[in-house]
């Protein structure tokens, strides 16, 4: 946050003339908080899950290479799903943040010019403008959530298919005597 403020203070007056103070404040407070909330748990979970996956794959390889290959075959599908959705989600989230920035800028302008707003009886007009901007932000947020949920459903379905294929093959191999039921479990 300190680095961002320092960078903002060093940017040209032209940059600041093109930007609204409320938008910059929202990005300074909201975006950085959101980044912290997302990044820290994600990094910790990714390292823990990475170790679990490597351990599970090593154990699976020791038991049955064919079943391991079937389980790994789902990874390209999961990667394609993530690639397909990530760009669209990123664009929608960026648009939502832009709309939230406009909302914050409008609120900041209204509060900074409160005496003028009241003198000209413009409070209702400002509230109406804020309500429209809030609805637009909400719409973008809902589009983002819808995309994220669609991706989650596809990932869950792909994983379920991978588990079914692996267990089906394992059951067949156990009945053939290639592996024991204990190794399948």
């Amino acid at each position: 946050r300190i680095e961002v403020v320092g960078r903002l203070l060093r940017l040209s007056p032209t940059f600041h003339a093109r930007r609204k103070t409320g938008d910059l404040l929202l990005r300074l407070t909201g975006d950085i908080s959101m980044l912290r909330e997302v990044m820290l748990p994600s990094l910790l979970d990714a390292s823990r899950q990475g170790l679990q996956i490597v351990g599970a794959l090593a154990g699976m390889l020791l038991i049955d290479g064919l079943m391991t290959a079937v389980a790994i075959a789902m990874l390209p599908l999961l990667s394609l799903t993530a690639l397909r959705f990530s760009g669209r989600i990123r664009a929608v989230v960026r648009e939502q943040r832009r709309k939230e920035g406009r909302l914050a800028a409008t609120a900041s302008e209204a509060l900074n010019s409160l005496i003028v707003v009241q003198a000209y009886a413009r409070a209702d007009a400002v509230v109406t403008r804020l309500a429209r901007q809030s609805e637009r932000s909400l719409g973008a947020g809902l589009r983002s959530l819808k995309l994220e949920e669609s991706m989650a459903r596809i990932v869950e379905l792909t994983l379920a298919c991978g588990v079914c294929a692996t267990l089906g093959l394992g059951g067949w191999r156990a009945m053939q005597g290639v592996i024991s039921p204990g190794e399948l479990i």
Side-chain angles (χ1 to χ4, degrees), residues 125-147:
V126 170
V127 169
T128 300
R129 184 174 171 200
L130 286 169
R132 276 196 312 269
Q133 289 175 334
S134 182
E135 285 178 28
R136 289 183 195 125
S137 176
L138 175 64
L142 291 174
R143 283 191 298 280
S144 169
L145 185 61
K146 184 179 176 182
L147 282 171

Side-chain angles (χ1 to χ4, degrees), residues 41-58 75:
S42 295
L43 290 173
L44 294 174
D45 285 347
S47 61
R48 180 181 50 82
Q49 290 173 350
L51 288 172
Q52 287 176 333
I53 289 171
V54 168
L57 286 175
L75 292 179

Side-chain angles (χ1 to χ4, degrees), residues 81-114:
T81 300
L83 285 173
R84 181 174 166 237
F85 278 91
S86 64
R88 291 169 49 197
I89 290 171
R90 193 172 23 256
V92 171
V93 167
R94 191 173 292 130
E95 180 63 23
Q96 179 191 12
R97 296 304 288 169
R98 235 186 326 271
K99 289 178 180 185
E100 287 176 358
R102 287 186 197 123
L103 178 65
T106 300
S108 174
E109 289 171 6
L111 292 173
N112 285 331
S113 58
L114 183 64

Side-chain angles (χ1 to χ4, degrees), residues 6-73:
R7 177 144 167 82
L8 284 172
L9 292 174
R10 286 187 290 279
L11 289 172
S12 70
T14 307
F15 171 86
H16 289 284
R18 285 185 276 140
R19 301 293 191 290
K20 305 266 187 190
T21 304
D23 181 43
L24 294 174
L25 285 172
L26 177 72
R27 293 179 187 282
L28 183 63
T29 57
D31 287 1
I32 291 174
S33 295
M34 184 172 44
L35 187 63
R36 182 185 64 231
E37 290 173 16
V38 170
M39 291 301 290
L40 289 178
S42 295
L43 290 173
L44 294 174
D45 285 347
S47 61
R48 180 181 50 82
Q49 290 173 350
L51 288 172
Q52 287 176 333
I53 289 171
V54 168
L57 286 175
M60 289 171 66
L61 272 171
L62 291 173
I63 295 170
D64 191 322
L66 181 59
M67 283 178 46
T68 305
V70 170
I72 291 175

